[in-house]
Amino acid sequence: MQIEKLRGKELDQLFDAILTLKDREECYRFFDDLCTINEIQSLSQRLEVARMLREGNTYHKIETETGASTATISRVKRCLNFGNDTYEMVLDRVQEEK
């Protein structure tokens, strides 16, 4: 687990802060203050890439529709295959809420 290298009180504080957010509007406001637009877009792009990979889309289609580089797509695919299964967990939860 790569995140183990980052563990510490600052990261705990960040995650605890995120867990206090009550709704989408609070998320928008917090992340707008916390991150640049490009950082937020990169995070959301990775989640969309994961969703599209899970649905069996080709790299070409994902690259065309999301603008993600093949390196980003490969990284997300590696996480889907060998990561912590959190893309799957989160995408399943989001799907259940629809």
Side-chain angles (χ1 to χ4, degrees):
M1 182 185 283
Q2 295 267 352
I3 199 79
E4 291 292 334
K5 297 175 187 174
L6 299 174
R7 282 191 189 265
K9 69 178 186 178
E10 290 88 3
L11 195 55
D12 287 350
Q13 178 179 261
L14 172 63
F15 291 155
D16 289 344
I18 292 168
L19 290 169
T20 69
L21 300 172
K22 293 179 176 66
D23 56 30
R24 186 179 292 152
E25 184 57 33
E26 285 189 4
C27 287
Y28 271 106
R29 291 174 35 221
F30 180 68
F31 280 90
D32 184 45
D33 285 347
L34 182 68
C35 302
T36 66
I37 290 171
N38 286 340
E39 289 168 335
I40 296 168
Q41 288 173 333
S42 291
L43 293 171
S44 64
Q45 181 188 65
R46 288 181 192 159
L47 188 59
E48 178 63 5
V49 166
R51 185 193 65 76
M52 292 182 75
L53 282 168
R54 211 166 79 140
E55 290 179 354
N57 289 284
T58 64
Y59 274 39
H60 178 71
K61 182 172 183 174
I62 295 169
E63 188 177 14
T64 301
E65 289 191 16
T66 67
S69 68
T70 55
T72 296
I73 298 167
S74 294
R75 182 185 186 289
V76 171
K77 184 172 180 133
R78 190 168 49 254
C79 289
L80 282 170
N81 292 334
F82 306 109
N84 299 304
D85 298 325
T86 54
Y87 276 122
E88 296 280 350
M89 176 187 71
V90 169
L91 288 169
D92 286 345
R93 289 179 182 172
V94 168
Q95 186 62 38
E96 288 171 8
E97 291 180 8
K98 285 187 176 181

